[in-house]
Amino acid sequence: MSPLDLYDIGASFSDEERSVQGAVARFVDERVLPVIQKHFEEHTFPRELVPEIAALGLLGSAIKGYGCAGMNAVSYGLICQELERGDSGVRSFVSVQSSLVMYPIHAFGSEAQRRKYLPRMATGELIGCFGLTEPHGGSDPANMKTHAKRRGKDWVLNGAKMWITNAPIADVALVWAKTEEGIRGFLVEKGMRGLAAPEIERKFSLRASATGALFLEDVVVPEENLLPGSTAGLKAALSCLTQARFGIAWGVIGAAQACLAQVLDYTKDRILFGRPLAANQAIQIRLAAMARGITGAQLMSLQLARLKEAGRMKPSQVSLAKWNNCRMALDVARDARDMLGGSGISAEYVPIRHALNLESVITYEGTETIHQLTIGRELTGINAF
Ligand code: TGC
Ligand code: FAD
């Protein structure tokens, strides 16, 4: 019985799902883990890995056609889980590219937009970012200030977006802006006059991910870059978040597994008071609590994937998994850091890096409070936002 899969959930995966998991796990072991700590310390995104990520079919993996792999929901979840076992920053890159840019182009874009962007995004030749959050408050995107006004056949965009993953390296930014017809999505390309995407420096979290702002000053965007299907206002933007949150719910399990694996080794090897640290009841109870959290998160994610495949997954169900699994992973990482003692703050061990990363993951894609209030609204029918 694997300590990282106490319910043998892996046995319920199909051969194809297991093969995807195995391929991504090998990539993480051989290519991500040897370089990630250096990137984290140097505050750099491991861009050199993008062609390999693309070659494995991990970009837009759920999309059928347009050079994408057309994998199912469990496979997408396992991709996120294995990548985040390496680092949340690498999983964030794939989440944003796949769920927040390729998904909306596929779901709300014109056929011409799909053909123009998706094949090159699948190969990693084009990198995308998703601009929803604004500096005055990300939890309430309906209070959007960025706006787009028609000028002849074009649109003119003005405003600012904050905390945007991939922005400094993006070739195309999906920018959500208020129009007279409601909130719409625009594909703003790198090099368009009036667009700036500076990096946000000095982060203590997700240091191996490129995070930036987007400043738009009279950016002229042609009509052909408006996502024609984004007519449902904020609902279109929120439906992208549902896709990404599904991946995060799976992804953070990988970070928790990495921490549990390390703390198991450490506490079995370390001799204190004449016996292994792991021989103490107080330590075993904490290890058992980690396994309990991971197993619950695995089962929740698997059921969520089944609902997704059946077309029955509701946003509030995704909120429950995003909240539960992020909280679980953050608690596991913090507790693992503590059980490593002083070593727990060293870059030689993974828990501190995962714990720092998970502070972002529990905040982005809806803070813990936002997801709790979403469940509260589902239970009571009362909107408490
Ligand atoms: P609300 O009245 O609840 O909803 C408006 C319409 O949208 C529908 N809807 C959703 N549809 C799909 N998926 C969802 N998750 C949905 N949530 C709501 C809803 O049914 C309604 O439809 P209709 O037909 O009735 O019009 O809207 P609200 O303004 O009250 O907002 C509710 C709230 C607070 C839940 C929402 O604003 C919210 O989720 N806020 C958090 C914002 C957030 O998560 N931002 C994330 C930015 S992207 C990011 O962080 C990327 S991180 C990088 C990475 O992923 O790795
Ligand atoms: P605020 O909305 O100002 O919230 C502050 C606090 O108030 C939080 O604790 C929140 O839970 C609480 N709060 C809010 N409303 C209520 C309420 N009604 N009742 C009680 N408490 C409440 N955004 C993008 O659009 N694209 C990206 O690619 C992206 N990537 C990100 C990458 C990183 C590393 C980070 C940190 C963020 C990223 N974000 C991105 C932004 C992220 O989605 C927001 O940070 C998040 O939605 C919270 O918004 P905020 O930071 O403005 O906090």
Side-chain angles (χ1 to χ4, degrees):
M1 188 159 66
S2 162
L4 303 182
D5 183 9
L6 288 186
Y7 272 25
D8 202 12
I9 291 163
S12 64
F13 300 148
S14 68
D15 288 347
E16 196 181 330
E17 289 157 359
R18 258 196 297 275
S19 133
V20 170
Q21 181 176 23
V24 184
R26 270 192 303 283
F27 168 71
V28 168
D29 289 339
E30 291 167 12
R31 305 289 295 135
V32 177
L33 290 176
V35 301
I36 201 64
Q37 184 60 39
K38 187 165 179 286
H39 279 289
F40 189 90
E41 285 171 36
E42 294 176 359
H43 209 318
T44 49
F45 170 66
R47 196 169 182 157
E48 68 277 11
L49 298 178
V50 172
E52 293 173 65
I53 290 172
L56 285 166
L58 310 189
L59 300 179
S61 61
I63 294 173
K64 292 191 172 69
Y66 306 96
C68 302
M71 295 185 213
N72 69 6
V74 169
S75 297
Y76 178 50
L78 288 169
I79 289 168
C80 291
Q81 183 179 303
E82 290 305 324
L83 289 176
E84 197 143 359
R85 186 171 60 77
D87 190 83
S88 303
V90 178
R91 196 271 306 140
S92 289
F93 169 77
V94 170
S95 287
V96 169
Q97 180 90 346
S98 302
S99 290
L100 295 182
V101 189
M102 295 176 77
Y103 166 81
I105 290 174
H106 189 250
F108 309 119
S110 64
E111 189 52 32
Q113 288 167 343
R114 290 187 199 125
R115 286 177 195 275
K116 179 177 176 188
Y117 295 105
L118 294 179
R120 293 171 74 204
M121 295 193 80
T123 60
E125 197 185 330
L126 290 183
I127 291 176
C129 71
F130 177 90
L132 180 65
T133 302
E134 300 195 347
H136 55 272
S139 298
D140 182 17
N143 181 29
M144 187 175 288
K145 308 283 183 239
T146 298
H147 55 83
K149 290 202 168 115
R150 278 193 189 277
R151 195 169 72 191
K153 288 188 176 164
D154 297 324
W155 292 84
V156 181
L157 270 67
N158 279 284
K161 300 287 177 179
M162 187 67 181
W163 297 115
I164 307 303
T165 303
N166 294 349
I169 56 169
D171 302 287
V172 56
L174 170 50
V175 174
W176 296 91
K178 232 170 203 163
T179 73
E180 285 179 357
E181 307 149 21
I183 292 171
R184 310 286 307 267
F186 295 85
L187 295 165
V188 182
E189 293 179 4
K190 185 177 177 174
M192 283 182 168
R193 192 190 291 265
L195 172 71
E199 178 138 15
I200 296 174
E201 310 277 358
R202 307 178 71 198
K203 302 196 312 278
F204 282 108
S205 175
L206 284 189
R207 289 175 60 83
S209 169
T211 315
L214 291 173
F215 296 116
L216 300 117
E217 201 180 330
D218 292 329
V219 181
V220 178
V221 177
E223 172 76 18
E224 69 205 36
N225 283 32
L226 166 70
L227 290 184
S230 64
T231 49
L234 200 55
K235 190 174 181 170
L238 294 177
S239 74
C240 306
L241 303 186
T242 294
Q243 306 301 315
R245 290 166 178 170
F246 170 84
I248 291 170
W250 279 81
V252 293
I253 296 169
Q257 287 174 321
C259 293
L260 176 56
Q262 188 141 74
V263 79
L264 278 174
D265 284 348
Y266 189 89
T267 54
K268 282 196 262 183
D269 284 351
R270 192 160 182 85
I271 307 296
L272 290 171
F273 300 101
R275 58 185 181 168
L277 189 53
N280 292 287
Q281 288 186 353
I283 294 291
Q284 288 198 11
I285 290 169
R286 290 163 77 182
L287 296 172
M290 290 181 175
R292 176 175 67 122
I294 289 171
T295 306
Q298 287 170 318
L299 291 170
M300 202 180 253
S301 302
L302 187 58
Q303 175 62 6
L304 200 61
R306 290 195 180 122
L307 290 167
K308 191 172 196 295
E309 282 294 317
R312 293 196 294 122
M313 185 177 82
K314 290 168 59 178
S316 57
Q317 294 166 330
V318 183
S319 279
L320 187 61
K322 200 273 182 182
W323 162 30
N324 179 74
N325 296 8
C326 288
R327 169 51 60 190
M328 176 283 294
L330 182 56
D331 288 348
V332 165
R334 286 175 176 168
D335 209 28
R337 202 252 14 107
D338 180 74
M339 279 191 270
L340 265 56
S343 301
I345 65 150
S346 164
E348 295 296 316
Y349 298 89
V350 301
I352 186 74
R353 177 167 51 81
H354 283 299
L356 291 169
N357 283 340
L358 289 163
E359 294 289 348
S360 283
V361 180
I362 203 167
T363 296
Y364 68 31
E365 287 287 356
T367 64
E368 186 166 53
T369 307
I370 289 300
H371 293 296
Q372 288 166 331
L373 295 179
T374 300
I375 311 298
R377 182 166 66 178
E378 181 72 26
L379 296 176
T380 63
I382 302 168
N383 187 350
F385 288 109

